[in-house]
């Protein structure tokens, strides 16, 4: 028997990249590669990259530089760049960093085996097409290895929204939804392999419009209801959503669909209508607030999370204050906040920039507010009963850690609990980034 080749993948960016990395490992599994978490023993290193902010993109070049020594020691080592930086600047990567053998864009992962072969012959292999065929279909014969209790499942890719700051429509292309039967087949397969919670992914997941088994156009809500009937699947989540695609049936599902968890990531970016307009977001602060009201009317305990950009071009102190006001009104349980980063080729990059020190200071103020809200949301859980899906042992002996329905990390000290167990837990304390609980009964 030949010794298997080893594949090291490092993943940056969003959850869709995490999902893609799994699928790339499977694609190369067919060529005899097994995963390793040690780059120094790898026969192939793949960086699955993110282009969303400048820092993310620059990391790729510094990381590649670190592999120089490895490549000098072992000329057979192949180095590849995948993901959104590959898509955006594949040819530049090849030019700037000669040790790169292979570049593959996010829509071409099913062609990895062939690209690997080309790289093995010494060719510089580059594929950043947007091919017609579905990269996931080609990879449908995935190996049947056992999995942990939670998994991602990409159902939608790409974005047609063109927010003025964002590279995603360029790196991931136009919106495409996978057919319902493929999604259901993949979900059942994951459940057979031990998965109990699935997070449906898409850059605009609630814009999902997949072809149903009836030939009709299915919404995300309808897909979720179909997943609700999959035996053995206990929990459903989805991310990321755009406010304009929060349809009535999806809001209703949050109120009525038993397996759909009470957590919603709904980025708003800014609370200033002037800035929202300049961002090309096509919603207002007010329409967002009314939407959150309707969602909370359907599911009162839902935990809201969001994304915010501070220091967007032309943002004044007054605009920023409007963002803080919106946050005060929504009361988020969790949030991601970023300093605006000008991205080449996007409209906002050409506009008058906010000075870095002003943006830094605003980011700090916003983060202080979010941290306070996060703590309050956690403290509000104390005394309540929640479901917890356990994932792994905690740091202390006898401790198990899992996620609550509201996606809080919860640890308990209890005998006989295993990863994959779902239990009712009473929350007894709130710590910095997690809750402590006791198993009920
Ligand atoms: N599709 C998702 C998320 C896309 S990227 C959505 O529309 O919500 C994730 C987050 O990164 C965005 O929500 C935004 O807050 C942030 N982001 C995107 N481009 C950015 C940029 N140029 N500078 C700073 N933050 C950015
Ligand atoms: Fe980017 Fe806007 Fe599309 Fe989200 S909706 S991926 S922020 S362009
Ligand atoms: Fe980054 Fe691409 Fe995701 S730019 S956030 S990896 S879609």
């Amino acid at each position: 028997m030949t010794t298997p080749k080893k594949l090291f993948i490092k993943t940056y960016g969003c959850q869709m990249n995490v999902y893609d990395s799994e699928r790339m490992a499977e694609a190369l599994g067919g060529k005899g590669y097994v995963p390793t978490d040690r780059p120094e023993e790898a026969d192939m290193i793949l960086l699955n990259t993110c282009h969303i902010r400048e820092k993310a993109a620059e990391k790729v070049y510094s990381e590649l530089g670190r592999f120089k020594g490895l490549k000098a020691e072992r000329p057979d080592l192949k180095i590849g760049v995948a993901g959104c930086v590959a898509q955006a600047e594949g040819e530049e990567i090849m030019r700037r960093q000669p040790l790169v053998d292979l570049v593959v864009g996010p829509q071409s992962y099913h062609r990895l085996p062939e690209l690997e072969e080309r790289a093995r012959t010494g060719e510089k292999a580059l594929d950043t097409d947007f091919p017609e065929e579905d990269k996931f279909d080609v990879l449908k014969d995935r190996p049947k290895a056992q999995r942990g209790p939670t998994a991602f499942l990409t159902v939608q890719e790409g974005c047609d929204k063109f927010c003025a700051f964002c590279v995603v429509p360029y790196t991931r292309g136009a919106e495409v939804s996978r057919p319902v039967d493929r999604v259901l087949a993949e979900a059942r397969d994951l459940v057979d392999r031990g998965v109990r919670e699935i997070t449906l992914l898409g850059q605009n997941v609630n814009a999902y419009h997949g072809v149903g088994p009836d030939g009709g156009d299915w919404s995300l809500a309808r897909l979720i209801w179909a997943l609700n009937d999959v035996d053995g699947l206990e929990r459903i989540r989805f991310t990321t959503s755009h406010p304009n695609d929060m349809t009535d049936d999806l809001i209703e599902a949050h109120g009525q669909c038993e397996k759909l968890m009470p957590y919603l990531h709904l980025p708003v970016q800014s609370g200033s209508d002037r800035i929202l307009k300049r961002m090309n977001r096509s919603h207002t602060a007010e329409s967002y607030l009314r939407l959150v009201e309707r969602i909370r009317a359907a599911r009162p305990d839902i935990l809201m999370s969001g994304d915010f950009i501070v220091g967007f071009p032309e943002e004044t102190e007054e605009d920023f204050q409007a963002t803080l006001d919106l946050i005060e009104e929504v009361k988020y349980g969790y949030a991601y906040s970023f300093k605006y980063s000008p991205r080449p080729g996007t409209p906002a990059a050409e506009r008058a920039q906010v000075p870095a020190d002003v943006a830094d200071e605003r980011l700090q103020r916003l983060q202080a507010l979010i941290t306070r809200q996060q703590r309050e949301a956690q403290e509000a859980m104390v005394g309540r009963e929640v479901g917890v899906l356990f994932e792994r042992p905690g740091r202390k002996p006898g401790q198990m850690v899992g996620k609550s329905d509201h996606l809080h990390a919860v640890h308990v000290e209890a005998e006989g609990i295993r990863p994959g167990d779902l239990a009712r837990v009473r929350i007894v304390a709130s710590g910095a980034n997690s809750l402590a609980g006791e198993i009920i009964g």
Side-chain angles (χ1 to χ4, degrees):
M1 228 179 78
T2 52
T3 39
K5 287 177 281 187
K6 296 209 168 118
L7 172 67
F8 173 79
I9 305 186
K10 184 157 180 174
T11 308
Y12 303 85
C14 62
Q15 289 143 326
M16 305 200 55
N17 266 11
V18 175
Y19 176 83
D20 284 345
S21 289
E22 288 170 8
R23 307 305 298 262
M24 283 195 272
E26 288 168 3
L28 286 170
K31 303 247 9 154
Y33 280 89
V34 295
T36 174
D37 48 17
R38 300 180 49 215
E40 58 281 8
E41 63 170 28
D43 299 281
M44 174 167 308
I45 292 175
L46 275 180
L47 301 183
N48 193 8
T49 63
C50 174
H51 201 239
I52 203 84
R53 284 167 289 274
E54 192 181 354
K55 261 201 195 121
E58 276 308 312
K59 260 189 212 149
V60 181
Y61 292 98
S62 56
E63 190 72 30
L64 284 170
R66 291 209 259 147
F67 296 137
K68 235 184 207 140
L70 280 182
K71 183 97 173 177
E73 275 167 37
R74 309 211 333 271
D76 277 353
L77 168 67
K78 296 294 167 196
I79 295 182
V81 180
C84 292
V85 182
Q87 187 65 45
E89 37 192 82
E91 285 175 18
E92 192 189 333
I93 295 171
M94 287 278 196
R95 252 198 327 272
R96 238 174 103 173
Q97 193 41 276
L99 55 78
V100 173
D101 303 286
L102 181 162
V103 165
V104 59
Q107 308 309 324
S108 304
Y109 294 152
H110 53 294
R111 296 178 176 168
L112 256 177
E114 177 207 330
L115 290 166
E116 188 265 356
E117 254 167 49
R118 282 167 51 197
R120 286 267 159 235
T121 65
E123 198 185 320
K124 296 270 176 193
L126 180 138
D127 188 338
T128 50
D129 290 349
F130 286 91
E132 280 288 304
E133 73 270 14
D134 179 343
K135 68 177 182 188
F136 302 117
D137 272 0
V138 183
L139 297 180
K140 62 177 172 284
D141 298 321
R142 38 182 11 199
K144 298 286 175 196
Q146 196 63 19
R147 304 259 326 210
T150 64
F152 294 135
L153 200 174
T154 295
V155 301
Q156 180 277 337
E157 274 221 276
C159 181
D160 297 339
K161 301 259 188 309
F162 291 93
C163 298
F165 49 82
C166 184
V167 293
V168 170
Y170 311 96
T171 60
R172 295 278 173 161
E175 276 178 29
V176 182
S177 296
R178 297 176 70 195
V180 171
D181 56 356
R182 309 259 164 73
V183 173
L184 293 179
E186 191 167 329
R188 288 193 196 99
D189 174 68
L190 288 168
V191 169
D192 286 347
R193 296 157 63 195
V195 170
R196 305 197 76 190
E197 170 180 312
I198 291 180
T199 302
L200 306 174
L201 300 181
Q203 268 97 17
N204 258 305
V205 72
N206 57 344
Y208 178 85
H209 278 288
V211 182
D214 52 0
D217 180 350
W218 281 40
S219 65
L220 183 69
R222 207 164 162 200
L223 178 69
I224 288 170
W225 278 108
L227 285 163
N228 198 54
D229 290 335
V230 171
D231 285 338
L233 179 63
E234 303 292 348
R235 288 170 147 190
I236 305 164
R237 305 181 187 277
F238 61 88
T239 198
T240 294
S241 301
H242 192 286
N244 288 6
D245 296 309
M246 268 327 278
T247 49
D248 292 346
D249 61 345
L250 191 54
I251 296 174
E252 194 184 46
H254 266 296
Q256 295 181 5
C257 184
E258 188 202 342
K259 293 181 186 173
L260 183 58
M261 290 293 107
Y263 182 99
L264 179 64
H265 184 61
L266 194 65
V268 63
Q269 314 298 354
S270 168
S272 153
D273 286 344
R274 197 179 69 87
I275 293 295
L276 286 169
K277 202 163 187 169
R278 295 291 279 154
M279 285 178 163
N280 194 30
R281 286 290 293 185
S282 58
H283 57 77
T284 62
E286 184 63 22
S287 70
Y288 180 86
L289 290 169
R290 297 296 78 84
L291 176 61
V292 172
E293 251 174 28
R294 283 168 56 220
I295 296 163
R296 285 204 168 123
R299 180 75 204 228
D301 72 331
I302 201 161
L303 195 130
M304 296 295 303
S305 83
D307 288 348
F308 300 91
I309 295 180
V310 304
F312 186 77
E314 303 154 9
E315 184 190 70
T316 62
E317 176 59 28
E318 200 184 322
D319 293 318
F320 175 65
Q321 194 54 52
T323 303
L324 296 181
D325 293 346
L326 178 138
I327 296 173
E328 289 282 11
E329 195 161 339
V330 173
K331 295 189 175 47
Y332 288 92
Y334 203 83
Y336 304 83
S337 49
F338 313 98
K339 195 165 81 164
Y340 170 70
S341 170
R343 306 307 293 129
T346 59
E350 313 295 322
R351 301 183 191 154
Q353 303 295 313
V354 170
D357 55 338
V358 175
D360 282 331
E361 191 265 340
R362 286 180 192 163
L363 186 63
Q364 277 180 28
R365 276 153 69 199
L366 187 142
Q367 284 178 343
L369 174 57
I370 292 291
T371 305
R372 197 186 79 213
Q373 292 197 344
Q374 191 176 324
R375 205 182 49 229
E376 285 166 1
Q378 279 189 202
E379 279 161 5
M381 301 308 295
V382 177
R384 282 179 57 184
E385 228 181 78
V386 291
V388 174
L389 177 61
F390 288 97
E391 294 178 17
R392 59 187 165 78
R395 255 177 279 153
K396 290 192 201 142
Q399 205 180 49
M400 283 296 289
V401 186
K403 292 277 166 59
S404 75
D405 303 334
H406 304 85
L407 210 55
H408 285 126
V410 177
H411 52 88
V412 301
E413 271 154 56
E415 301 277 301
I417 295 191
R418 287 182 309 268
D421 287 351
L422 192 60
R424 297 298 296 169
V425 169
R426 189 179 326 281
I427 303 301
V428 295
S430 168
N433 291 305
S434 66
L435 301 171
E438 288 168 358
I439 304 282
I440 296 169

